Amino acid sequence: MSARILQNVLALAAVLSAPAFAADKEVNIAFQTVVEPSKVAQADGEYEKASGWKINWKKFSSGGDVITAVASGDIQIGYVGSSPLAAAATRGLPIETILVAAEIGGAEALVVRNGSGILKPQDLAGKKIAVPFVSTTHYSLLAALKHWQIDPKSVRILNLRPTEIAAAWQRGDIDAAYVWDPALGKAKESGKVLTDSAEVAKWGAPTFDAWIVRKDFAAAHPDFVSSFVRVTGKAYAAYRQDGAGWTADSLQAGKIARLTGAAKADIPGLLAGSAFPTLAEQAAPRLLGGGLAKTIADTAQFLKEQKKADKVLASYEPFLNARFARQAAAE
């Protein structure tokens, strides 16, 4: 076979194997740089293959920005933390939670700079702490200060996005930061962890990440949402089954690193720092089956106490939808 013929055959094979996208089947999905298993499916194009849709993946640096884009209609499905989710639900945004993306532990942490003079929590007074406002880390930081009986007004809390935190840390402009990767990994290089979200959860303030969808989009395109949930659930199940094989030099770590900017060496530890519920666990009463509504309400109450929300709804169950996870789990 000549080189030209071979080239044509390979080109035709590539066209035939590529997913076919219908002109009207296009969706914008917001993701963040959080290290979690579904990044592998995203990198492999599994969502497009399973649905036949064209997906425009949009990278965001904070859940607050994702909520703004979802509210405007620019984003149909988005990755957010429990704090911005609680704030958005309280405002009555037309959204529903379709998956718990991660129950956060050591993947988010408060790091203090070496040489900052911060050896214990009480040393935070008067120091500059950077955190993205109305994020899970902001919520965790305020909860930690409350646990330590430190008045937030005695600390200089700065509202910075993760990329801005990394730059400010590099310049030496801040003394501490409560953030996630890749900014977290950069801070750890010249700092130490004072606490993390696993410990804060034990103090009564658990946090989680979630995939949310606009209700109008879910109602109009339930097949796509089902496909999205199914692919994500498979990614979580793959990690749960063989997480020990997702080492720093694994293909999975390389794919996650490319999408998040985290160092491959940090990927295994960051994955271990969160829990990723199976589809069956997602649909169970503890999570999307109703239990998550209390966690969201508790978060909203805390945000209200901190004057980050003006009220707390009587129920947050209308913002949970276990149907897609339940269907996928039964397949």
Side-chain angles (χ1 to χ4, degrees), residues 44-218:
D44 289 343
E46 294 297 333
Y47 292 97
E48 291 86 347
K49 294 173 187 175
S51 66
W53 282 51
K54 178 183 178 182
I55 300 177
N56 302 311
W57 294 96
K58 308 288 188 178
K59 184 164 71 173
F60 285 74
S61 59
S62 73
D65 291 340
V66 173
I67 291 296
T68 299
V70 170
S72 71
D74 291 339
I75 293 293
Q76 288 75 53
I77 295 177
Y79 189 106
V80 300
S82 49
S83 185
L85 170 58
T90 300
R91 287 164 48 197
L93 264 62
I95 57 173
E96 54 192 18
T97 306
I98 52 174
L99 279 174
V100 173
E103 295 180 273
I104 303 171
E108 295 185 353
L110 173 60
V111 182
V112 297
R113 176 188 296 282
N114 295 339
S116 64
I118 305 172
L119 302 178
K120 58 186 184 299
Q122 286 66 32
D123 296 331
L124 292 170
K127 302 296 186 179
K128 296 179 182 178
I129 306 177
V131 65
F133 277 16
V134 198
S135 66
T136 48
T137 52
H138 188 200
Y139 172 72
S140 296
L141 171 62
L142 295 175
L145 294 176
K146 183 177 181 179
H147 174 78
W148 291 324
Q149 298 182 344
I150 297 174
D151 185 349
K153 294 179 181 179
S154 70
V155 180
R156 298 181 64 184
I157 302 177
L158 306 178
N159 180 19
L160 297 179
R161 294 181 174 90
T163 52
E164 296 168 334
I165 288 176
W169 188 279
Q170 187 70 25
R171 293 192 303 268
D173 292 345
I174 53 179
D175 303 300
Y178 205 137
V179 70
W180 54 89
D181 256 74
L184 175 60
K186 295 295 184 183
K188 285 180 177 178
E189 292 175 2
S190 55
K192 67 174 184 178
V193 173
L194 193 63
T195 191
D196 62 27
S197 294
E199 191 169 22
V200 175
K202 295 177 183 177
W203 299 336
T207 51
F208 64 90
D209 286 340
W211 282 106
I212 62 170
V213 63
R214 285 187 58 96
K215 289 186 177 183
D216 54 359
F217 180 83

Side-chain angles (χ1 to χ4, degrees), residues 275-329:
F276 306 102
T278 64
L279 288 171
E281 292 169 343
Q282 298 273 356
R286 186 177 73 86
L287 296 178
L288 295 177
L292 208 63
K294 182 181 184 305
T295 303
I296 299 174
D298 290 344
T299 304
Q301 178 60 44
F302 189 88
L303 292 174
K304 183 174 182 292
E305 293 172 1
Q306 299 296 325
K307 302 187 185 307
K308 303 301 179 184
D310 58 3
K311 60 183 177 181
V312 177
L313 302 182
S315 174
Y316 286 85
E317 287 196 29
F319 298 92
L320 305 179
N321 188 341
R323 176 168 64 94
F324 298 108
R326 190 176 296 113
Q327 289 175 345

